[in-house]
Amino acid sequence: MSGSDRHIDIGALTRAGLLLQLADPTLPIGGFNHSGGLETFVQQGVVHDAATLKTFVYTQLQQNWLHNDGAYVSLAFNASTEQNLDELLWLDKQIGAAKVARELRESSYKLGVRLLKIFAQHTKVAIVVSYQAALAAQQVRGFYPLVFGLLAAAMQLDKAATLQAFYYNAAVGLITNGVKLIPLSQMAGQEMLIELHTVIAQTVQASMQPQWQQLGATTLATDIRAMQHERLYTRLYMS
């Protein structure tokens, strides 16, 4: 065994593995069933090729998720680190009010509850136990970004890495769905993702300390398309 091998931090590698699993798009929580309104954009011809899909994902990162889901991951991570259940309860009410489109709201808490079910049974961290009790008592609905931030903090993961994994997961989901809907080649999707890594990093940096006055700010076009989605004549996705 070489000297470098003897200094491998097994704990750090374990946490990295947990982060990879937490953000794995193949987790059995149903994320692949949701397009977040993208299906409506495609059917209306607004998103119709690689360039418009990339613009769509970029817009979601910089103008939507930054002030919504990503901000709530950041705030939930902070609250969980501080063992502040009251803050998590307040954030649950705020994110529920911010998600005006029914399909987006319902998909978020369904994904969150399933995510919590996978990981919570493997931790005895007090804030996770308290959050589970609040969920059982119907004090919270378990929105996905809050659960993501809660679990990451309980696993003692790095906050910046947590946000990067969250945004990466969200971007992969949209690109994968867009590739199927337009359709595009798998290679086009991978090239798009490579080009978005810098934008993801910039969004992470901006999310470390969310701007309270911007919390809940959204792209109205996305909310409208998400509302229109449930009335589409044909649908491949649930949102």
Side-chain angles (χ1 to χ4, degrees):
M1 181 181 292
S2 68
S4 59
D5 291 336
R6 288 195 297 269
H7 291 89
I8 290 176
D9 187 337
I10 298 300
L13 286 178
T14 300
R15 290 190 293 273
L18 286 169
L19 180 57
L20 288 172
Q21 186 176 4
L22 183 64
D24 189 345
T26 65
L27 275 178
I29 62 175
F32 59 89
N33 288 319
H34 302 277
S35 80
L38 174 60
E39 186 167 20
T40 310
F41 279 96
V42 173
Q43 287 204 21
Q44 293 179 354
V46 178
V47 177
H48 55 85
D49 58 14
T52 51
L53 178 59
K54 180 183 175 183
T55 298
F56 179 78
V57 179
Y58 176 91
T59 301
Q60 296 306 303
L61 281 163
Q62 291 279 280
Q63 298 180 28
N64 188 355
W65 299 334
L66 171 62
H67 306 303
N68 285 279
D69 285 2
Y72 284 106
V73 171
S74 180
L75 294 170
F77 188 99
N78 292 346
S80 303
T81 300
E82 298 165 0
Q83 301 288 304
N84 191 337
L85 180 62
D86 288 340
E87 182 76 3
L88 288 173
L89 298 181
W90 182 83
L91 289 171
D92 185 88
K93 291 181 174 60
Q94 293 299 308
I95 193 172
K99 290 186 176 297
V100 296
R102 181 185 61 82
E103 286 189 352
L104 297 183
R105 186 169 59 253
E106 291 183 355
S107 67
S108 184
Y109 65 71
K110 287 177 181 178
L111 296 179
V113 169
R114 293 168 188 157
L115 185 68
L116 186 65
K117 184 177 180 180
I118 291 174
F119 289 96
Q121 61 184 319
H122 299 290
T123 178
K124 300 298 181 183
V125 176
I127 190 65
V128 176
V129 174
S130 298
Y131 189 85
Q132 284 183 289
L135 184 62
Q138 299 184 342
Q139 294 176 287
V140 295
R141 282 183 284 182
F143 289 99
Y144 177 72
L146 301 185
V147 173
F148 197 99
L150 165 70
L151 292 172
M155 296 172 184
Q156 299 183 332
L157 303 179
D158 177 75
K159 183 179 178 181
T162 294
L163 287 165
Q164 183 180 27
F166 180 82
Y167 286 127
Y168 174 83
N169 172 280
V172 167
L174 278 189
I175 290 172
T176 300
N177 293 341
V179 163
K180 294 177 182 177
L181 287 166
I182 292 173
L184 299 170
S185 69
Q186 294 292 331
M187 183 62 72
Q190 290 303 307
E191 290 175 354
M192 195 180 311
L193 187 59
I194 289 173
E195 293 170 357
L196 285 167
H197 278 299
T198 298
V199 180
I200 290 173
Q202 292 168 345
T203 310
V204 168
Q205 185 177 36
S207 301
M208 291 296 289
Q209 298 295 332
Q211 300 297 313
W212 285 97
Q213 66 270 27
Q214 294 294 323
L215 191 62
T218 186
T219 50
L220 291 177
T222 300
D223 282 346
I224 292 171
R225 265 58 173 212
M227 294 175 188
Q228 292 172 335
H229 183 266
E230 62 181 301
R231 298 181 181 277
L232 293 181
Y233 182 71
T234 59
R235 297 188 301 175
L236 293 178
Y237 296 93
M238 296 174 63
S239 69

